[in-house]
Amino acid sequence: MSERLVREDGPLVVVEGLTVDFTTGEESVRAVDGLSFSLDAGRAIGLVGESGSGKSTVAAALLGLHRGTGAEVGGTVLVNGTDVGTASDRELRALRGAVAAMVFQDPLSSLDPYYAVGDQIAEVYRVHTDASRKAARARAVEVLDRVGIPDAARRSRSRPHEFSGGMRQRALIAMALACEPRLLIADEPTTALDVTVQAQILDLLHDLRRETGMGLLLVTHDVGVAAESVDEVLVMRHGRQVETGTVGEVLGTPREAYTRALLAAVPRVDSPLTRPSGPHPARPAIEDGTAHPVGAHRDDAVLLEAVDLRREFKRGRTTVAAVDGVSLTVRPGETLGIVGESGSGKTTLGRMLVRLLDPTAGQLRYRDTDIGTLSEKELRPYRRELQMVFQDPVSSLNPRRSIGESVADPLRAAGVLDQARTVARVRELLERVGLDPDRYDRYPHEFSGGQRQRVGIARALAAEPRLIVCDEPVSALDVTTQAQVTALLAELQRELGLALVFIAHDLAVVRHVSDRVAVMRAGRIVEQGTVDEVYGAPSDPYTRQLLAAVPALDPAVAAERRAARTGLRKDVAVA
């Protein structure tokens, strides 16, 4: 390789006065405004901030990915001595992959669904080297094995859809490592992954950096992820640098108010609980003159009960039990948290609890009626009282209909209000969840992720339910938006006496919103109890593994947890 591509002296990355402007029509938006930082080989820096802060725009600028997009890039970006702004297209191609590689947030959009994973890695390797097909194939298997893909030679022939989310992310990291880059840029590499899979990916990045001496630029909205993974932190807001320093300084003694607010919004498993306790107030009367006397229920009353609930799915000639003998109760006005990894059966269970899925076996009692065996016609009186807020508001909202019309659907289905009263009620609901009622006629794409989730909550509330199942409602949101949505749910619960089932893989979030917690694994509940019982003295090794994988804001504690995780994984494997 040329001297230009392999440079050992000086910082690996130097960014000075970086600006990036995007123009839409006659309007110009400055996404990055005068950013400067440097990164040495073997070191890691985290770009931290909320959605829209400009983090990913900075990451793309390091590889010259804005070239040809119409974006205006100013300032200086040097990567391994190459001036990205003035480099020729040929020099940029040589830089990408061979010197600096990027791991994107969504591996499904980065991997070709029609080709085997190993073939895609081999192709990247051949583009940047003179390797034969056989050598490239061997290199693909080698890096897949290095990132922890079991039976790498066989799995290299699998297509992306045959990999789990965590394995696809590992495959992307393997692709990035194929040419032994000096710089790895990871853009939200653990967003929406299970806490244990997230910990494995972060541990992998840590080990790779230690073994290869590569530099790491980590883009994340999760401050805890940064604490686990980097040496320095650069906090961004509205395209500008707010604060920078070592990870211990920024997270331990932040100077700026915005950084302190960002840290305060992070849910933790070791902080004092502030969730209000005691009985919830009685629910106010609704428009037909009836009232739900939630506040009048005894503390031990049961609103919903599952007894040995089971759900099977056919996979060819085999039958798979996604939920296998689950028993639980939900009381009026309380929140039951359900945690577990992807594939544990959480979502299937949640859909059964509101009868969006029929149980294969077992009983589902709602207000002393077994609704698990009711026909759709018999179920209609209960539909309004059992609602669900889905994980992805983009897919659950019709993009061709205004958000006001989507929120109005449950009201129109009930047929109790005329058009004028329906519109008035929807405007009231939008305002209730913190949205401008004048945006009734706007479409989902015109709202942020957190705002779309508020629309989903408003739609669930329109039916005036007694119980809402929330399926991963904050998993892809940044920490401040996440805190706003969970605070909204808690406020609504206190005012309306709602029972909530809160499904999530994030144990810290579940701890802060729940009264009781059930831990699921492989379709079964392995442990359940009060928050204090499950988090304070977990009895099952799997629960202890989940808790050990939760990111810690203290870098020293994060290092201790990383060292302890290997032993816990062995315990779970034996259990």
Side-chain angles (χ1 to χ4, degrees), residues 38-88:
S38 63
L39 173 65
D40 293 332
R43 302 285 289 176
I45 187 169
L47 298 187
V48 177
E50 299 171 283
S51 298
S53 61
K55 309 183 301 295
S56 295
T57 304
V58 174
L62 265 61
L63 292 180
L65 297 180
H66 297 303
R67 183 172 295 186
T69 66
E72 295 184 16
V73 181
T76 303
V77 176
L78 298 176
V79 177
N80 200 51
T82 296
D83 188 328
V84 175
T86 61
S88 65

Side-chain angles (χ1 to χ4, degrees), residues 214-401:
M214 69 179 183
L216 173 66
L217 178 78
L218 178 69
V219 173
T220 180
H221 65 253
D222 190 327
V223 184
V225 167
E228 291 265 342
S229 314
V230 302
D231 306 303
E232 299 175 50
V233 173
L234 192 159
V235 180
M236 292 188 66
R237 187 186 191 194
H238 304 321
R240 295 182 178 180
Q241 175 181 308
V242 173
E243 184 167 355
T244 188
T246 68
V247 65
E249 292 169 347
V250 175
L251 302 189
T253 56
R255 300 186 306 273
E256 301 297 326
Y258 176 72
T259 308
R260 292 194 292 272
L262 205 61
L263 289 168
V266 179
R268 302 174 65 171
V269 295
D270 55 356
S271 62
L273 284 172
T274 57
R275 179 176 168 77
S277 59
H280 294 268
R283 183 183 180 130
I286 56 176
E287 294 207 34
D288 61 5
T290 64
H292 299 309
V294 172
H297 279 280
R298 299 187 315 275
D299 288 346
D300 59 351
V302 173
L303 181 66
L304 182 73
E305 181 178 20
V307 181
D308 291 328
L309 213 58
R310 183 179 178 88
R311 173 69 192 201
E312 297 175 350
F313 291 98
K314 292 288 186 180
R315 295 287 187 268
R317 296 182 179 180
T318 62
T319 299
V320 177
V323 174
D324 188 7
V326 165
S327 297
L328 54 80
T329 59
V330 184
R331 295 174 173 81
E334 78 164 350
T335 299
L336 173 67
I338 299 177
V339 298
E341 297 173 287
S342 296
S344 63
K346 307 186 303 295
T347 294
T348 301
L349 174 61
R351 288 172 179 263
M352 279 197 291
L353 293 181
V354 295
R355 272 302 306 270
L356 292 179
L357 282 176
D358 298 332
T360 304
Q363 293 182 321
L364 181 62
R365 301 192 190 108
Y366 176 70
R367 291 195 287 139
D368 298 324
T369 298
D370 187 352
I371 64 170
T373 57
L374 296 183
S375 67
E376 187 58 40
K377 182 178 180 180
E378 294 170 322
L379 199 59
R380 283 176 190 166
Y382 300 96
R383 284 293 187 197
R384 289 184 65 181
E385 300 183 23
L386 300 168
Q387 292 292 314
M388 193 161 190
V389 175
F390 297 92
Q391 175 177 355
D392 182 7
V394 174
S395 61
S396 61
L397 294 172
N398 189 329
R400 294 181 176 84
R401 301 182 70 215

Side-chain angles (χ1 to χ4, degrees), residues 513-530:
V513 302
S514 304
D515 300 298
R516 293 184 299 115
V517 179
V519 182
M520 288 193 71
R521 186 188 188 199
R524 296 176 178 268
I525 291 179
V526 298
E527 184 166 0
Q528 63 178 312
T530 67

Side-chain angles (χ1 to χ4, degrees), residues 69-312:
T69 66
E72 295 184 16
V73 181
T76 303
V77 176
L78 298 176
V79 177
N80 200 51
T82 296
D83 188 328
V84 175
T86 61
S88 65
D89 290 345
R90 180 180 179 183
E91 289 172 324
L92 276 185
R93 284 195 298 271
L95 178 73
R96 298 167 184 165
V99 175
M102 193 162 182
V103 177
F104 294 93
Q105 177 176 345
D106 181 11
L108 270 183
S109 63
S110 304
L111 294 168
D112 192 316
Y114 296 104
Y115 291 93
V117 169
D119 289 344
Q120 296 184 57
I121 297 173
E123 181 64 23
V124 169
Y125 187 64
R126 293 191 70 207
V127 165
H128 293 284
T129 68
D130 296 326
S132 65
R133 290 184 181 274
K134 183 177 180 180
R137 177 75 187 175
R139 177 60 177 165
V141 173
E142 179 185 347
V143 291
L144 283 171
D145 180 69
R146 176 62 197 86
V147 299
I149 298 293
D151 195 4
R154 180 179 65 84
R155 295 311 301 269
S156 68
R157 297 188 289 273
S158 301
R159 289 174 172 78
H161 74 273
E162 298 176 273
F163 278 22
S164 67
M167 288 177 64
R168 284 194 291 266
Q169 198 60 279
R170 288 173 183 269
L172 271 189
I173 295 173
M175 185 180 294
L177 293 175
C179 298
E180 299 181 343
R182 300 196 66 207
L183 170 67
L184 183 66
I185 303 168
D187 187 5
E188 299 279 10
T190 62
T191 296
L193 293 180
D194 300 325
V195 64
T196 50
V197 178
Q198 172 180 272
Q200 292 165 14
I201 296 297
L202 296 178
D203 290 350
L204 172 63
L205 292 175
H206 176 81
D207 292 343
L208 289 170
R209 184 161 61 92
R210 183 184 59 195
E211 293 172 10
T212 66
M214 69 179 183
L216 173 66
L217 178 78
L218 178 69
V219 173
T220 180
H221 65 253
D222 190 327
V223 184
V225 167
E228 291 265 342
S229 314
V230 302
D231 306 303
E232 299 175 50
V233 173
L234 192 159
V235 180
M236 292 188 66
R237 187 186 191 194
H238 304 321
R240 295 182 178 180
Q241 175 181 308
V242 173
E243 184 167 355
T244 188
T246 68
V247 65
E249 292 169 347
V250 175
L251 302 189
T253 56
R255 300 186 306 273
E256 301 297 326
Y258 176 72
T259 308
R260 292 194 292 272
L262 205 61
L263 289 168
V266 179
R268 302 174 65 171
V269 295
D270 55 356
S271 62
L273 284 172
T274 57
R275 179 176 168 77
S277 59
H280 294 268
R283 183 183 180 130
I286 56 176
E287 294 207 34
D288 61 5
T290 64
H292 299 309
V294 172
H297 279 280
R298 299 187 315 275
D299 288 346
D300 59 351
V302 173
L303 181 66
L304 182 73
E305 181 178 20
V307 181
D308 291 328
L309 213 58
R310 183 179 178 88
R311 173 69 192 201
E312 297 175 350

